[in-house]
Amino acid sequence: MPAPVASDPRRPFGRLLTAMVTPFTEDGSVDLAGAQELATHLVDRCRHDGLVVNGTTGESPTVSDAEQRSLLEVVLDAVGDRATVVAGVGTNDTAHSIEKARDAARLGAHALMAVTPYYNKPPQSGLLRHFTAIADATDLPVMLYDIPPRSVVPIEVETLVRAAEHPRIVAVKDAKGDFSAVAWTLARTDLAYYSGEDALTLPLLSLGAVGVVSVVGHLVGPRLADMIAAVEAGDLARARELNTGMLPVYDGLFRTQAAILVKAALKLQGLPSGPVRPPLVDATDDEVARLRRDLAAGGIEL
């Protein structure tokens, strides 16, 4: 199944993607029907060009490989004909990541996302070898996920320049917050940059990023799409206005681990979410009350 929006090489996965939560039933099992419903809602009602399945917000560390394959399969079935479905396949084990990449390709994923290996703190040469091995494993385009707050090790500019030489490493999801490094990477490569930190999406767009892989997109997808369009049209005043209106939502969803509060917000809206899996814990009554206030301040009616 070809990627629906891959015709523009500058934006290989579109503009607006969300790292989708994994809905669970109340007994903790994966809610496949709920995943299809949520994916359809995001694409058909919230103007998403694509979804990342089995990423951090999808609680991938506690979702088994078999469950991840099932999730990818049902999301592809639900929206794969009209949105780019990116499979998160990165782990801190190169062989395991290759296996997951091949599984995703076999199931029909349009692209892969590979996070920086976490916990084992590889050197830059190890990062390059890890990412190129994943890219070599399939014919799918690859987005690297640079998130040192979780992985400790950043992907340095020189490593990104080397990685960009691989024909299938085409994009970066940036949650590093180093604008100088982003500017230099954009100046020296053709990598497409996607913001991976919602509060920094506007400044990254101003540097030349092409879109966002969002968390708040679960709730404010149309406004994010309008903000990206405003930047592309050169209307920075409108983009700033939209961004300012979303500030309470950015804060509200990140007062604790994002999956916890996104699921709480989706539940408040009557959308599939369910509990989180341990070691995460569900939002407390006080956290939900604060979330309601934050979302209301951000113009979201519950």
Side-chain angles (χ1 to χ4, degrees):
M1 184 185 298
V5 294
S7 58
D8 185 348
R10 296 170 300 169
R11 303 172 182 85
F13 311 126
R15 294 171 174 82
L16 171 60
L17 299 90
T18 278
M20 197 179 87
V21 301
T22 298
F24 297 127
T25 62
E26 290 306 313
D27 68 4
S29 58
V30 175
D31 181 1
L32 296 177
Q36 288 194 308
E37 180 184 344
L38 181 59
T40 300
H41 169 80
L42 293 172
V43 171
D44 293 346
R45 297 187 61 188
C46 299
R47 297 172 54 188
H48 284 65
D49 298 318
L51 300 171
V52 173
V53 180
N54 298 324
T56 307
T57 309
E59 299 176 69
S60 58
T62 55
V63 180
S64 73
D65 286 358
E67 290 172 325
Q68 290 190 27
R69 288 191 292 269
S70 296
L71 277 164
L72 180 59
E73 200 165 21
V74 300
V75 171
L76 282 163
D77 183 61
V79 301
D81 62 339
R82 56 195 186 278
T84 301
V85 179
V86 182
V89 300
T91 72
N92 61 351
D93 175 353
T94 303
H96 187 198
S97 299
I98 289 171
E99 179 184 355
K100 287 166 66 69
R102 289 173 175 161
D103 280 344
R106 177 179 55 81
L107 291 171
H110 303 135
L112 308 175
M113 187 179 75
V115 70
T116 312
Y118 39 84
Y119 188 75
N120 40 20
K121 295 180 69 174
Q124 294 297 307
S125 59
L127 295 185
L128 184 63
R129 184 176 297 184
H130 176 81
F131 291 136
T132 55
I134 294 169
D136 284 339
T138 79
D139 292 329
L140 297 177
V142 177
M143 174 188 290
L144 307 184
Y145 185 10
D146 190 5
I147 182 166
R150 289 183 181 271
S151 67
V152 180
V153 179
I155 312 175
E156 294 178 0
V157 172
E158 292 299 326
T159 305
L160 288 165
V161 170
R162 292 280 305 281
E165 296 171 1
H166 195 291
R168 287 185 292 281
I169 296 177
V170 299
V172 177
K173 176 184 175 184
D174 183 84
K176 183 162 54 183
D178 184 339
F179 296 136
S180 177
V182 171
W184 273 112
T185 305
L186 286 169
R188 297 179 60 190
T189 74
D190 293 325
L191 291 169
Y193 258 75
Y194 289 82
S195 172
E197 187 170 349
D198 282 296
L200 300 183
T201 297
L202 180 55
L204 280 168
L205 290 170
S206 74
L207 286 174
V210 299
V212 60
V213 178
S214 179
V215 172
V216 303
H218 285 92
L219 304 176
V220 290
R223 280 192 272 174
L224 286 173
D226 286 344
M227 184 175 75
I228 295 168
V231 173
E232 291 186 346
D235 190 351
L236 294 183
R238 175 60 176 156
R240 286 195 296 269
E241 178 185 14
L242 287 162
N243 187 64
T244 298
M246 291 186 285
L247 290 176
V249 185
Y250 302 157
D251 281 353
L253 291 185
F254 289 94
R255 292 189 185 279
T256 185
Q257 208 275 1
I260 295 171
L261 291 177
V262 172
K263 283 192 163 183
L266 290 172
K267 184 176 181 179
L268 290 172
Q269 292 189 316
L271 290 165
S273 58
V276 293
R277 279 185 175 173
L280 299 184
V281 293
D282 293 327
T284 66
D285 290 344
D286 287 344
E287 287 171 333
V288 172
R290 180 60 188 267
L291 177 63
R292 282 182 176 274
R293 296 195 296 272
D294 288 329
L295 298 183
I300 296 174
E301 296 182 5
L302 298 173

